[in-house]
Amino acid sequence: MDTAGQQRVDPGTQVRDGDSLSSRVIGRYCGNDIPSPIRSSGDALHIQFVSDGYNNYDGFSATFQEHSGAVYKCRCLCAWVKWQSVFISDNSLDLRDFVPTACSSNPCMNGGMCSLDPMKTFHCVCREGFTGLRCEDKQAQSGCADPGRPAHGDRFLQYEDEHIATSVQYLCYKPYKLRGAPRRTCLSNSSWSGTAPTCVREKEPARKVCLPPPQLHHGYSTNDIGPDGAIKSMKFFCNIPYVLQGSTNRTCQENGTWTGIRPQCIRACRELKISKLVRQTVMKHQHPPRKSPLHRLYSLTQLSPDDEVGSSSVASALGELPPGFHHRHTVIEYECASPLYQPSGSTRRICLKTGKWSGRHVSCSPVCGKLSENPLTLSQTSWPWHAAIFHRLPDYNSPVTGAGSRRGDTFSAADYRRLVEGSTEQTWQLACSGALVSQHAILVPAHCVTEPGQRAPVHTSDLGVVLGKHDIRDLTDGKMLQHLQVSEILPHPSYDPNTFDSDVAVLKLVGKARISESISPICLPRVRGGEVTAKHAYITGWPAGGQHDPNPDTDSGTARTGVIELSDVALCERQYAQQGVPISVTDNMLCGRQHPISPTIVCPTRTGGIVLLSSDGQMSLTSFPDQRRETEDTVPRPSWELLGLMRFGYNLQSCEPGRFTVYTRVANFLNWIERNIK
């Protein structure tokens, strides 16, 4: 309530539908926003405007229209006064307490409001963004407004501080490109420099169409077609047995040309698969010369797609083929990668016009019967085919665990080490000698690998094979040794355990013997059966180890080699008959005893031995007995053959080198051996 006791009216404007203060209120307004049109029910409105010191506005203005369509305007400008009661009736305007002033004609511009000060002098209250006496000047702003994003693009504003933008950068989304300045700066009048750029989509130049390449003879192609129906790319294939020369894939470029090299289907030879032991050398391609100039001219003019392209076509003569193929007339030479192997088959092969290779498949097999070095003495001879055959001890009980040996535990390097070192845990013993005849097989006497007095072989897990040894008790050559397991035991089907006839067996190995300077096979006899014309041969075997062994180095495990003389079988039978041992020496047997000039005493009856024969047949008596040999490279080294396998001898407990020993004649079993060592 005010001091006069009247009700206090809040600042603002009230519009009533009638001509009195008690009429119904149809609108309340405050501020300078223009309200929506007001419609009265009669011909009178009551408007009450109140202002105070907290809200200093210029007054109000009103535009009203009667039913007849006449439009009237009125403006009231007040300052710190209470102005009320506007009555409208009979098309006339009655403004009570209103006195016209300098603001009646509203001298303010740009929507400014005119107001009077106590001296009745007007001044303009300007709208935001304008200034001056009559609001005629635009007010300077800080920074520029956001210019907005271009269609199909974006803009990035750079600010001097948090609210004042100083520059803008424009970009366009692909495939649109910017047309206009990419950067604009904010001027001092708060406007942007230049004009806003636009994003336009430039028309791509028309793509040239590639003409289809010529038809591929003896082949076909697959095409990738674009949306416009033109060929975008091609992939080429050849029919068997032709090979593609040139580019397998070709793509159409924008300039209307194809990438790559024009393909051709030609006959070529696929590179042959060879062993790692074989080394090949591809010779320079040489086309065969024409028979005559006339023939050459005729061939160049009448060349068909399937014919060999002559030397005039560089693309065909030097064109690249897929990996693993060679041009016709290409020559490849083969050789073995190691001198320990020898080639078999065709060492030179030519790619023929048919796309096939000439000759036969080439392979490398170990060289048999060759020593890597010429020994100076018999004691220094290390035969690379000499094999040591070990047996599992029967009914073995460990002094530590008491457990017996188990069948199935194969011979291992640890077992061999315990045997050599004389450990109480020994479960194996040296049984006999054998000869390596291929990488997969060893030849041994049948009685060494069969049950005593029977033809049935022992279990394969009860046998062990060691290759690469010259001294059984020497452990320093461990890297050269090979401990092999036996996969199959094949005694000869005619083997007789009572007469020892056909006393030969093949041991097939689980793995393959690795050929080296200390391990290689012995040659089988070149002559099949028949009489043995040689009068002397070599025998090598492991030391017997008996108490009557005349050698002072019995404890040594070095293999011993000596010279034996071969004798007539009648002498063997007569000697055994004199000792009360009647035997029958068959054609499958050889007889021999130590030669008087042999520098080494060999007793092969305990651990067996193998009989060797040199290819020259004479050097055993003239060169070996502890004398230096000439090692000229011009003198070919002899090859060695396996002549016999030790079978039996008289008085096993005593070593009497002068007595005859019976051996299996290997030459009589060549066909059976060759079938079973592959």
Side-chain angles (χ1 to χ4, degrees):
M1 298 295 291
D2 57 14
T3 56
Q6 298 179 352
Q7 184 178 3
R8 179 177 177 84
V9 180
D10 294 331
T13 303
Q14 291 185 355
V15 180
R16 297 178 182 272
D17 188 14
D19 57 359
S20 67
L21 189 61
S22 61
S23 299
R24 180 173 63 88
V25 177
I26 61 174
R28 300 177 189 272
Y29 307 98
C30 183
N32 57 359
D33 295 332
I34 300 175
S36 301
I38 302 172
R39 186 180 184 86
S40 65
S41 60
D43 57 358
L45 285 175
H46 184 281
I47 300 174
Q48 183 182 19
F49 175 79
V50 178
S51 67
D52 55 19
Y54 296 97
N55 295 282
N56 185 10
Y57 298 99
D58 296 332
F60 71 92
S61 63
T63 300
F64 58 92
Q65 181 180 1
E66 63 177 351
H67 294 292
S68 62
V71 178
Y72 303 91
K73 293 185 178 181
C74 69
R75 179 179 292 274
C76 176
L77 298 146
C78 308
W80 296 91
V81 295
K82 178 180 179 182
W83 182 94
Q84 61 181 18
S85 300
V86 176
F87 297 95
I88 303 173
S89 62
D90 299 330
N91 298 329
S92 63
L93 177 62
D94 181 13
L95 299 177
R96 301 175 184 178
D97 301 332
F98 177 76
V99 178
T101 65
C103 288
S104 299
S105 60
N106 190 16
C108 299
M109 302 170 62
N110 297 316
M113 301 298 293
C114 182
S115 64
L116 297 173
D117 58 17
M119 300 302 294
K120 302 300 182 178
T121 303
F122 80 93
H123 73 275
C124 293
V125 179
C126 300
R127 296 178 60 186
E128 183 179 1
F130 295 91
T131 186
L133 180 62
R134 294 177 180 270
C135 300
E136 68 275 15
D137 297 329
K138 192 171 183 182
Q139 186 177 359
Q141 299 180 356
S142 299
C144 296
D146 188 345
R149 297 180 176 87
H152 309 295
D154 203 348
R155 56 87 185 92
F156 298 94
L157 294 170
Q158 297 180 357
Y159 294 90
E160 182 177 346
D161 55 30
E162 186 177 357
H163 303 289
I164 301 176
T166 58
S167 63
V168 61
Q169 185 79 26
Y170 296 90
L171 60 83
C172 295
Y173 304 134
K174 291 182 178 181
Y176 294 88
K177 295 185 177 180
L178 192 69
R179 177 174 294 177
R183 185 180 181 87
R184 301 173 70 193
T185 57
C186 182
L187 303 177
S188 59
N189 60 359
S190 299
S191 63
W192 293 103
S193 64
T195 58
T198 58
C199 295
V200 296
R201 187 168 187 172
E202 297 182 354
K203 294 184 178 179
E204 297 182 359
R207 183 185 182 91
K208 294 184 179 180
V209 178
C210 295
L211 297 177
Q215 182 180 1
L216 184 64
H217 294 281
H218 308 294
Y220 60 96
S221 63
T222 58
N223 304 330
D224 182 15
I225 309 299
D228 56 354
I231 300 177
K232 295 173 56 180
S233 63
M234 301 182 68
K235 191 170 186 179
F236 300 91
F237 305 89
C238 289
N239 301 325
I240 299 174
Y242 293 89
V243 179
L244 189 71
Q245 175 182 282
S247 300
T248 304
N249 297 280
R250 304 186 74 185
T251 304
C252 180
Q253 303 180 96
E254 294 182 357
N255 59 1
T257 61
W258 292 99
T259 60
I261 303 174
R262 176 184 170 183
Q264 300 181 70
C265 290
I266 65 173
R267 287 185 180 271
C269 294
R270 184 185 294 272
E271 188 169 283
L272 299 172
K273 293 183 178 180
I274 56 176
S275 167
K276 294 181 179 180
L277 300 173
V278 180
R279 182 188 297 120
Q280 70 175 22
T281 303
V282 180
M283 310 301 292
K284 185 178 180 181
H285 176 81
Q286 296 180 352
H287 194 276
R290 301 295 185 185
K291 295 182 179 179
S292 66
L294 180 62
H295 187 154
R296 185 184 305 108
L297 177 63
Y298 178 80
S299 299
L300 292 177
T301 56
Q302 302 295 327
L303 191 63
S304 65
D306 188 34
D307 287 337
E308 176 71 25
V309 181
S311 58
S312 61
S313 176
V314 178
S316 177
L318 302 179
E320 293 186 1
L321 292 175
F325 288 89
H326 295 279
H327 287 284
R328 285 179 284 181
H329 311 299
T330 298
V331 177
I332 298 182
E333 293 185 349
Y334 300 93
E335 62 179 348
C336 294
S338 170
L340 298 175
Y341 291 83
Q342 58 186 355
S344 60
S346 302
T347 57
R348 181 183 176 92
R349 307 189 71 177
I350 303 174
C351 178
L352 305 176
K353 292 175 60 177
T354 59
K356 302 293 184 181
W357 292 98
S358 65
R360 296 179 295 108
H361 176 72
V362 64
S363 62
C364 289
S365 58
V367 177
C368 68
K370 292 291 184 179
L371 297 177
S372 60
E373 296 180 357
N374 286 330
L376 299 179
T377 64
L378 284 176
S379 60
Q380 295 177 350
T381 306
S382 178
W383 306 100
W385 43 80
H386 192 189
I389 312 300
F390 291 86
H391 272 198
R392 189 192 304 273
L393 291 173
D395 302 327
Y396 167 74
N397 289 320
S398 171
V400 179
T401 62
S405 61
R406 296 176 297 173
R407 175 164 291 180
D409 295 339
T410 56
F411 185 71
S412 64
D415 293 321
Y416 176 74
R417 178 173 290 274
R418 285 195 294 268
L419 184 150
V420 171
E421 294 176 347
S423 171
T424 56
E425 289 292 321
Q426 290 183 17
T427 60
W428 299 81
Q429 66 178 359
L430 180 63
C432 59
S433 296
L436 182 70
V437 291
S438 75
Q439 289 184 275
H440 305 275
I442 292 177
L443 208 63
V444 295
H447 72 267
C448 179
V449 293
T450 54
E451 299 291 348
Q454 303 179 26
R455 297 176 58 185
V458 299
H459 198 274
T460 55
S461 62
D462 290 336
L463 290 181
V465 177
V466 175
L467 295 175
K469 286 300 295 182
H470 178 59
D471 187 344
I472 289 294
R473 299 188 181 278
D474 185 9
L475 294 176
T476 60
D477 55 357
K479 293 183 179 180
M480 297 185 296
L481 295 186
Q482 291 186 42
H483 300 81
L484 302 176
Q485 300 175 17
V486 178
S487 63
E488 190 176 5
I489 303 173
L490 300 175
H492 193 276
S494 301
Y495 168 60
D496 188 343
N498 297 316
T499 63
F500 294 102
D501 191 26
S502 304
D503 189 9
V504 61
V506 171
L507 301 183
K508 288 194 172 182
L509 304 176
V510 173
K512 185 168 65 172
R514 300 187 306 274
I515 303 302
S516 64
E517 292 184 355
S518 59
I519 299 176
S520 62
I522 179 68
C523 297
L524 293 174
R526 289 172 295 176
V527 180
R528 299 176 183 272
E531 293 293 331
V532 178
T533 59
K535 299 302 181 181
H536 50 267
Y538 288 102
I539 183 171
T540 181
W542 306 109
Q547 60 180 348
H548 299 291
D549 190 346
N551 290 286
D553 55 347
T554 300
D555 294 335
S556 173
T558 303
R560 296 180 184 149
T561 301
V563 181
I564 63 173
E565 58 178 348
L566 300 176
S567 178
D568 185 81
V569 295
L571 296 177
C572 292
E573 292 180 338
R574 186 180 306 115
Q575 176 181 287
Y576 280 90
Q578 292 174 355
Q579 300 295 330
V581 183
I583 62 170
S584 176
V585 180
T586 68
D587 292 339
N588 294 329
M589 304 177 186
L590 292 172
C591 279
R593 62 183 175 182
Q594 182 172 295
H595 199 284
I597 67 170
S598 177
T600 305
I601 298 177
V602 180
C603 298
T605 56
R606 290 291 305 277
T607 54
I610 56 177
V611 180
L612 309 174
L613 184 66
S614 65
S615 58
D616 59 8
Q618 298 297 327
M619 61 182 306
S620 59
L621 294 180
T622 60
S623 303
F624 248 153
D626 291 327
Q627 297 178 4
R628 290 188 171 272
R629 301 179 50 194
E630 296 181 359
T631 57
E632 298 180 2
D633 296 336
T634 57
V635 179
R637 296 181 181 180
S639 60
W640 296 85
E641 300 177 2
L642 179 64
L643 189 62
L645 299 171
M646 187 275 162
R647 177 171 297 175
F648 60 83
Y650 176 72
N651 194 1
L652 299 182
Q653 298 300 324
S654 300
C655 181
E656 299 183 35
R659 294 186 179 275
F660 285 103
T661 300
V662 180
Y663 304 93
T664 300
R665 182 181 295 185
V666 175
N668 287 13
F669 305 95
L670 282 182
N671 293 336
W672 178 82
I673 294 173
E674 290 173 347
R675 288 197 307 268
N676 290 280
I677 65 175
K678 297 180 180 179

